[in-house]
Amino acid sequence: MRGIILAGGNGTRLLPLSSVGSKQLAPVYDKPMIYYPLSMLMLAGISDVLIISRPIDLPQFRRLFGDGSRLGMSIDYAVQEEPRGIADAFRIGATHIRGEHNALILGDNLFHGANLPSLLRRSAERLNGCVLFGHQVSDPERFGIAEVDERGRLVGIEEKPARPRSNLAIPGLYLFDGEVVDIAKRLTPSARGELEITDVLKAYLDEGRADLVWLGRGVTWLDTGTHESLLEAGLFVRDVQRRQGTRLGCVEEIAMHMGFISPDECYRMGTEMRSSPYGRYLMTCAHSYDRLPASARVPEDWP
């Protein structure tokens, strides 16, 4: 399965902060925002990722990740000249997808939950069309909403409805088969000139090939697209890290546990940042890796 991170857009809700660079490079506590969606793809077992962003921002992403080889991955880049909707990612990423199953995650979405990695992997194994996820929210009118029947099966999708038929919001994380590229190419842009992800999901639903997976109460989902939500996400990451003694979205540690890189490689990257708590944390993780039980080295679930 291939991964795509859509990190475009002008971030107008974050002005003036976003006037100096991509919002996906803004800090969420101790690391750039994009670390969190990238780590989610990695925990799903994906090592081949395309980052889509504005021309002005791509050099900074390249500086951050390079070609991905330091993480034992392949990371490529593509330009989105101007915001044209989430589904535009499939047109831009057609060559990257190459007819294979793929996961799309928005660059300003943060997920956390112990069962998420295994949930994503199981969903990918059963993929037959597309998988979207449902997360209960108190303000469903702000989101795309999944409508379900009395048995919990997906029967409809609404985009920011005035009178929502459920409180199941659809987060910015989706799994698709390779046909998504052709479906996206057939879409008619909205009145705003955008290719709506809702239209892609509805196309699969009409074919009977859209599955809804509910994210349980143990899953946290944060959209960091506003000043308030950005602060909330930073405080959430700080509190979890303080209490658990682990770091969320730590891509180097995850690469080691997933077997993408060796403990020595993880330790070496830690030494390059040894003046920061983040670097020293990597060194400690790599040093103690051999003392972990085998079941914890490539975890089925992740704290």
Side-chain angles (χ1 to χ4, degrees), residues 244-267:
Q244 296 185 355
T246 58
R247 291 184 181 258
L248 307 187
C250 183
V251 295
E252 298 88 354
E253 180 190 12
I254 293 171
M256 177 180 67
H257 278 279
M258 296 301 296
F260 296 170
I261 61 174
S262 68
D264 286 344
E265 290 170 310
C266 181
Y267 187 88

Side-chain angles (χ1 to χ4, degrees), residues 98-219:
R98 290 189 298 192
E100 298 185 20
H101 289 185
N102 57 93
L104 171 66
I105 189 168
L106 303 187
D108 59 359
N109 277 219
L110 185 155
F111 296 86
H112 176 64
N115 297 321
L116 263 177
S118 57
L119 179 65
L120 286 175
R121 291 195 286 272
R122 289 196 304 269
S123 299
E125 290 169 359
R126 300 195 300 262
L127 180 63
N128 178 29
C130 81
V131 172
L132 56 152
F133 298 89
H135 192 278
Q136 290 185 322
V137 295
S138 59
D139 49 354
E141 64 280 353
R142 295 182 51 237
F143 304 97
I145 295 298
E147 180 187 354
V148 296
D149 62 17
E150 65 279 358
R151 299 175 63 181
R153 295 176 301 188
L154 182 67
V155 295
I157 300 168
E158 300 178 282
E159 182 63 28
K160 298 180 180 178
R163 294 182 175 85
R165 298 179 183 178
S166 82
N167 65 344
L168 276 180
I170 302 172
L173 173 61
Y174 319 87
L175 306 180
F176 294 99
D177 63 16
E179 293 182 31
V180 69
V181 172
D182 292 332
I183 290 174
K185 288 180 178 179
R186 294 197 300 265
L187 292 182
T188 300
S190 67
R192 297 180 299 173
E194 297 185 354
L195 300 177
E196 303 289 354
I197 189 66
T198 304
D199 291 337
V200 174
L201 300 176
K202 286 180 177 178
Y204 277 100
L205 180 60
D206 291 343
E207 296 175 1
R209 299 195 300 126
D211 293 325
L212 174 69
V213 175
W214 292 42
L215 299 179
R217 293 185 178 183
V219 173

